[in-house]
Amino acid sequence: MSPRVSEILSWYSSENSGVLSNLARLFNQGKLSGTGKLVILPVDQGFEHGPARSFSDNPYAYDPDYHFELAIQAGLSAYAAPLGFLQASSHRFAGEIPLILKMNNSESLWAENVAPISSITASVDDALKLGCSAIGLTIYPGSADRKMMYEEVAEISKEARSKGLAVIIWSYARGGDISKQGQTAIDVVAYAAQIAAQLGAHIIKVKPPTEYIEQEAAKKVYVKNKIKISSLKDRVSHILDSTFNGKRILIFSGGEAKSTEDILSEIKSLAAGGSFGSIVGRNAFQRPKKEAISLLQNIMDIYTEIDTKK
Ligand code: FBP
């Protein structure tokens, strides 16, 4: 075990050895093995956004095998997907890459004004049967249905941890009074990250935050305490403060497809701010495979080169 991975695991010492082994598995896989950084491929967009929006740019991506191959060939830390994709292909790739079962999902067919909430679409036992290292759950802080979501997550997370699985929370604030711009506001993302940490997530995933501040009450404090938020690097460092002073594994999502230059420049700022890594879906599988592998390798190189903990 590298000293950095041991240090990270020491923050989770109240967990059983199953959870610790599974966190270690994620950190000891692929090109980033031992660095304390993670780059994960998430492919739940077929469920979340629909098949054509997700896969028609690179039709090979309709095939569940494709994503396993992409994640393995690129040397990533893990692959995350809903039950169907994992069930369809996991037996062909057993033991080749840590898996994360995305245990809840929502779709984009609902009206905009309906409170965002995901359905539980699989079980902890499914994750164990598939050989997963972790489960993934999305929460939508700010949604009118947040009470139900937090209670579900608390219950499922308790079961997963008791069975030795790590828990990853995708924390995306939306719904209620949160404006569209506010979904990625620095105060809102920091708050969403803190909620995921308080819910007991081992790994927290949020979107890269902007400089915008959504809540008036928060704005006063950011000004009074001169919290630095003008650069993405500063904002990442502030989100780390919000996830137990950096003692929780915090990673950032890739977002909609963008140019290679834009994504690499964003990753450089995330890495400089101290991010533990990225979870990059559309920017990976919507590109031709060769291009995607090269992009993912470049992303991992950035995380290795710009390591604020070296
Ligand atoms: P991307 O890199 O494609 O953004 O994937 C990250 C992710 O969290 C997916 O797991 C999820 O399907 C998607 O983003 C949700 O995006 P949005 O909330 O914008 O619909």
Side-chain angles (χ1 to χ4, degrees):
M1 197 69 66
S2 74
R4 178 60 180 157
V5 175
S6 297
E7 183 192 8
I8 294 170
L9 294 184
S10 74
W11 305 329
Y12 298 87
S13 52
S14 63
E15 296 294 356
N16 60 39
S17 45
V19 170
L20 296 176
S21 302
N22 276 318
L23 286 173
R25 213 160 272 154
L26 300 179
F27 280 117
N28 290 331
Q29 175 78 21
K31 193 171 156 72
L32 290 172
S33 174
T35 59
K37 304 282 174 176
L38 301 171
V39 172
I40 297 171
L41 177 71
V43 191
D44 57 350
Q45 295 80 354
F47 202 134
E48 306 274 331
H49 304 148
R53 274 175 66 196
S54 303
F55 306 133
S56 61
D57 282 328
N58 172 26
Y60 294 106
Y62 282 111
D63 188 327
D65 280 4
Y66 180 82
H67 303 286
F68 278 86
E69 287 160 6
L70 176 59
I72 293 165
Q73 287 167 18
L76 299 189
S77 315
Y79 167 51
L83 183 69
F85 256 9
L86 294 190
Q87 270 181 341
S89 302
S90 56
H91 53 287
R92 270 190 287 287
F93 302 92
E96 291 198 55
I97 186 158
L99 300 178
I100 299 158
L101 175 62
K102 187 71 202 317
M103 258 189 69
N104 67 1
N105 288 100
S106 60
E107 27 78 1
S108 317
L109 299 172
W110 283 96
E112 279 280 309
N113 57 357
V114 170
I117 184 162
S118 298
S119 307
I120 308 300
T121 50
S123 68
V124 171
D125 287 340
D126 287 325
L128 289 172
K129 253 184 265 165
L130 289 161
C132 295
S133 298
I135 58 156
L137 293 158
T138 297
I139 56 168
Y140 298 119
S143 164
D145 280 336
R146 65 201 185 287
K147 177 181 184 309
M148 201 193 304
M149 270 183 279
Y150 297 158
E151 289 171 1
E152 271 173 5
V153 167
E155 204 174 305
I156 293 168
S157 152
K158 187 174 166 198
E159 184 190 351
R161 300 145 86 101
S162 77
K163 294 179 176 172
L165 292 175
V167 176
I168 306 180
I169 295 185
W170 278 228
S171 192
Y172 291 164
R174 67 183 59 164
D177 289 338
I178 300 177
S179 67
K180 184 80 186 146
Q181 193 184 10
Q183 292 177 5
T184 49
I186 180 66
D187 57 323
V188 170
V189 176
Y191 201 164
Q194 164 85 191
I195 290 168
Q198 297 290 5
L199 278 168
H202 301 116
I203 302 178
I204 295 151
K205 174 195 175 187
V206 290
K207 295 191 179 184
T210 66
E211 198 181 349
Y212 175 68
I213 301 176
E214 172 85 343
Q215 294 197 300
E216 270 316 308
K219 197 177 278 175
K220 287 185 194 138
V221 179
Y222 277 79
V223 171
K224 175 166 87 75
N225 294 331
K226 301 188 176 60
I227 300 174
K228 283 166 76 181
I229 53 165
S230 60
S231 70
L232 180 56
K233 171 176 178 280
D234 288 339
R235 295 191 287 274
V236 168
S237 153
H238 174 58
I239 309 284
L240 277 165
D241 289 344
S242 313
T243 46
F244 300 175
N245 201 22
K247 290 187 182 148
R248 283 294 173 266
I249 302 156
L250 172 70
I251 59 177
F252 290 84
S253 57
E256 281 175 30
K258 39 189 173 250
S259 75
T260 300
E261 203 187 351
D262 285 352
I263 181 127
L264 293 179
S265 135
E266 183 173 272
I267 299 282
K268 279 183 193 152
S269 301
L270 297 173
S275 168
F276 288 75
S278 284
I279 177 154
V280 180
R282 284 166 286 182
N283 276 287
F285 66 75
Q286 290 181 347
R287 282 175 160 74
K289 199 202 247 173
K290 227 171 133 195
E291 215 182 286
I293 290 179
S294 148
L295 175 70
L296 291 165
Q297 302 268 335
N298 287 333
I299 290 174
M300 291 186 283
D301 285 343
I302 292 171
Y303 276 115
T304 319
E305 281 154 23
I306 311 180
D307 185 349
T308 53
K309 297 294 167 201
K310 266 185 192 161

